[in-house]
Amino acid sequence: MKRILIAITGFVCALALMICGVSVLSGFSMAFEKKGLSASGSGREVTTRDHGASSGWTFSEGTGEYRGFVLDNVLRSSTQGNIHFNLYVPDSYDGTKPYALFVTLPGYQGLHFQGVGINLRTEEFGFAAQGYNRNMIIAAPQLDDWGDTSAKQTIELTEYLLDAYNIDRNKVYGEGYSGGGETMSRVMGMRPELFSAYLQCASQFDGDIEVLAKARMPVRLVVGAHDEYYGAQPSQETYDRLHALYRDQGLTDTQIDRILVLDVRPDSYFSSQDISNQHGRGGHLFANDSDIMGWLFNR
């Protein structure tokens, strides 16, 4: 009888230890998921905000790294599907104070099907931006087209980042180059209130201009006078339409100049730097031009 009691007691104790162990491990796992990992992939913990069950988001951190960006993170949205993006979070970020946010959309060569991280290897906007504000989180999405689908995914990703990190809502910047400008312009025609300013480089504006005009968000349209792909005319037409809408709102030319800039770079801007391809190499020049990038980040 004693042997039976001892065996039963031992079994009960072992079962209790197993339950406690599972509980402890589960608690540890939950805490780990809440804190997340750094964008450098170094294992440094970064404080992110918890999401309610109703958010419809799940997040998987990428495993690759390139010049401080974690590559191919995936935001799974119940409404917009899988959104692939590369993310840079400064080492100084700990969630205690708000940081700026910069979202940069690449041209066709940087879309996801072209290869993970190819946008960062072919465009410099994400790296140049770090020189203007050390306290800035930078997202470089790799989407699959330059239409409404990618625009809605950009909006979804931006909303996620605003929710997950402590972001200064007065310092949320958007930029799009080439096809990325077409996508980001659609974003500006859907949800301009998410951003503080928009820089469009070597592209055309495909979004709802009237929605953008109502928001009065600062916009700069930069393009080469003889851009081989778009030309300067689409940017000129967008500027003229926005300018007319602002005049209809009662704004003066001085007030309009504060929020709307048409920046057509002459041929000499490119030839003086031994560049003949205004579209393909314009992204390089614009990203490294302090007048252009400074306009965006010093607002």
Side-chain angles (χ1 to χ4, degrees), residues 136-213:
M136 183 158 63
I137 294 170
I138 302 172
Q142 287 191 268
L143 308 173
D144 292 316
D145 68 18
W146 49 94
D148 282 349
T149 297
S150 287
K152 291 176 181 177
Q153 289 187 333
T154 301
I155 291 170
E156 189 83 353
L157 175 60
T158 302
E159 290 181 326
Y160 167 78
L161 294 170
L162 292 174
D163 182 75
Y165 293 89
N166 186 2
I167 301 297
D168 184 342
R169 296 301 296 268
N170 294 315
K171 295 181 179 181
V172 182
Y173 310 106
E175 174 272 326
Y177 166 71
S178 192
E182 294 187 38
T183 300
M184 190 63 87
S185 73
R186 291 173 183 263
V187 172
M188 298 303 156
M190 295 177 184
R191 296 290 304 281
E193 73 278 5
L194 291 175
F195 293 83
S196 308
Y198 169 49
L199 173 64
Q200 180 171 291
C201 296
S203 189
Q204 66 183 26
F205 196 95
D206 291 341
D208 190 326
I209 288 182
E210 292 190 2
V211 171
L212 178 62

Side-chain angles (χ1 to χ4, degrees), residues 121-143:
R121 292 179 170 87
T122 57
E123 294 186 23
E124 300 160 71
F125 293 100
F127 304 110
Q130 296 172 31
Y132 293 88
N133 187 346
R134 293 183 178 180
N135 296 331
M136 183 158 63
I137 294 170
I138 302 172
Q142 287 191 268
L143 308 173

Side-chain angles (χ1 to χ4, degrees), residues 92-99 135 166-167:
S92 58
Y93 178 83
D94 60 10
T96 60
K97 64 179 182 179
Y99 271 42
N135 296 331
N166 186 2
I167 301 297

